Amino acid sequence: MLGKNRKYKGLDFSDTTQKHLQQTMGYSFPLQEYSADLSTRTEERINANFHWGTLSHSLYGVRYMNFSWIGIWRTKQERGIVLKLLMDQLTLRHGVKSDEYFDLSRETDDGQPRTCKAKITKPIETRHELTSYKFEYSFQLACPSEKIYAPTQQLQKIPRGFFGGTPLAQSLPVAIGSFGGGGKILNEGNWYAPFKLQIIWTCTNPKIFNLATGESIRIQATTTNLIFDNRNLNFEEGKDWILEDLGQDISSKRSTGKDLYLAPGENQLIVITDNPDEEPEIFITRRSTFNY
């Protein structure tokens, strides 16, 4: 269930804010009703890997969210001020601004903060009588991803180590027997979380494994500043993941493997290199992910 305390752009619809506005300023614009287009929200997309056709944990489908309630103030002139405030924030702009995504922040029923990206797809609509102290209004937002995130992004360094021939889980046809790094990553959410992995300094034929899911990717190249990133924060089609070195696309160097995600709970992430003399620094950037 989605919590009702929401903030979008410059508007705070939370109960405490609206109550304070009503008591101190004499007006408020709370939200009452919320509905989601459930017919499109569970469509699963095939995220192709290097060989195409590998099904990932990334759900893809626009979630439309409809909101409605009333604005309250005493006189017609005062109600016009509230309406202008809402229209300034909830009206589609001409040109590129109509495609802008903003943070939609909210709380769950137990007060836990969540955030996602959303944009206006149906501008504010109003209906009111001149003699009434209130006016009805509604608007629609679209969230381009099923994923709802914890608001705090975490950076974690993976310690270096040697893995002496430990066989991988899930019967993968590779054994770990080289230098690199490994560590435990905790995804406190209830859904698979994307992440960014950065390997700084020379790394020969890096291989990245998540033992919790059995997923792995292998890169046939000597990298200097490798970045694997499937967070797709810009929501651009065809850019579900990034694989680059020194800013150059090296996705063609990826030999095999599925996209990497952090399963709910504890994950064991391992990075190995073929050259034992190398000492790369490994960093993980991620946020726990939730699905409702």
Side-chain angles (χ1 to χ4, degrees):
M1 178 178 178
L2 292 174
K4 60 183 178 180
N5 288 329
R6 291 182 177 83
K7 297 178 182 178
Y8 181 70
K9 295 182 68 176
L11 300 173
D12 187 342
F13 299 99
S14 63
D15 291 346
T16 54
T17 297
Q18 293 302 314
K19 183 178 179 180
H20 177 74
L21 283 175
Q22 190 64 53
Q23 291 174 340
T24 59
M25 304 297 293
Y27 72 89
S28 59
F29 48 90
L31 292 172
Q32 180 191 38
E33 296 182 3
Y34 159 81
S35 63
D37 183 354
L38 300 181
S39 64
T40 61
R41 66 183 290 265
T42 55
E43 177 185 354
E44 193 165 8
R45 179 186 183 184
I46 292 180
N47 263 349
N49 71 350
F50 184 71
H51 295 293
W52 299 93
T54 297
L55 195 63
S56 78
H57 299 297
S58 178
L59 289 177
Y60 182 83
V62 176
R63 173 186 288 177
Y64 295 98
M65 298 171 287
N66 300 288
F67 301 93
S68 62
W69 193 211
I70 54 174
I72 305 171
W73 214 353
R74 294 175 293 269
T75 69
K76 179 174 67 174
Q77 289 78 11
E78 291 170 332
R79 289 192 294 276
I81 295 174
V82 182
L83 180 58
K84 184 178 185 303
L85 173 68
L86 295 172
M87 292 186 69
D88 285 345
Q89 298 291 317
L90 299 171
T91 299
L92 286 167
R93 310 300 182 189
H94 292 294
V96 68
K97 287 188 177 296
S98 63
D99 295 323
E100 285 185 316
Y101 288 98
F102 297 91
D103 290 323
L104 173 63
S105 302
R106 63 180 181 82
E107 293 181 359
T108 61
D109 290 342
D110 58 353
Q112 298 298 313
R114 301 285 184 265
T115 187
C116 63
K117 294 289 185 180
K119 70 176 180 178
I120 301 165
T121 47
K122 185 181 293 184
I124 186 169
E125 296 179 352
T126 64
R127 183 178 61 186
H128 64 282
E129 299 177 3
L130 294 178
T131 56
S132 175
Y133 70 94
K134 62 182 181 180
F135 63 88
E136 300 176 7
Y137 73 94
S138 62
F139 62 95
Q140 182 186 81
L141 301 179
C143 181
S145 171
E146 284 287 321
K147 295 184 179 67
I148 309 295
Y149 295 97
T152 303
Q153 193 156 254
Q154 300 185 37
L155 177 65
Q156 183 173 342
K157 186 175 181 179
I158 302 298
R160 184 175 183 266
F162 175 72
F163 308 97
T166 304
L168 290 177
Q170 311 296 330
S171 300
L172 289 176
V174 177
I176 300 174
S178 185
F179 282 81
K184 294 180 180 180
I185 310 292
L186 181 62
N187 174 16
E188 297 177 341
N190 65 354
W191 191 249
Y192 290 86
F195 65 94
K196 172 186 175 182
L197 180 142
Q198 184 173 16
I199 305 175
I200 302 175
W201 306 121
T202 303
C203 190
T204 303
N205 298 329
K207 303 171 184 65
I208 308 163
F209 306 93
N210 184 354
L211 301 187
T213 63
E215 296 172 339
S216 66
I217 63 171
R218 304 172 185 86
I219 299 116
Q220 300 299 316
T222 299
T223 64
T224 303
N225 189 348
L226 176 71
I227 291 179
F228 168 83
D229 189 352
N230 62 4
R231 296 173 303 169
N232 193 22
L233 296 182
N234 294 323
F235 306 113
E236 298 178 36
E237 278 195 50
K239 291 189 177 181
D240 297 311
W241 53 269
I242 296 170
L243 184 61
E244 62 184 29
D245 183 43
L246 294 173
Q248 300 297 313
D249 182 11
I250 61 167
S251 55
S252 62
K253 304 293 185 180
R254 176 176 165 174
S255 61
T256 185
K258 295 190 292 185
D259 285 343
L260 288 167
Y261 291 87
L262 302 176
E266 188 175 278
N267 296 260
Q268 181 74 22
L269 209 68
I270 291 177
V271 177
I272 63 175
T273 170
D274 287 350
N275 187 344
D277 296 326
E278 296 169 348
E279 298 186 11
E281 292 188 312
I282 304 164
F283 298 92
I284 302 291
T285 306
R286 51 90 185 177
R287 289 186 291 179
S288 294
T289 302
F290 301 83
N291 191 49
Y292 297 89

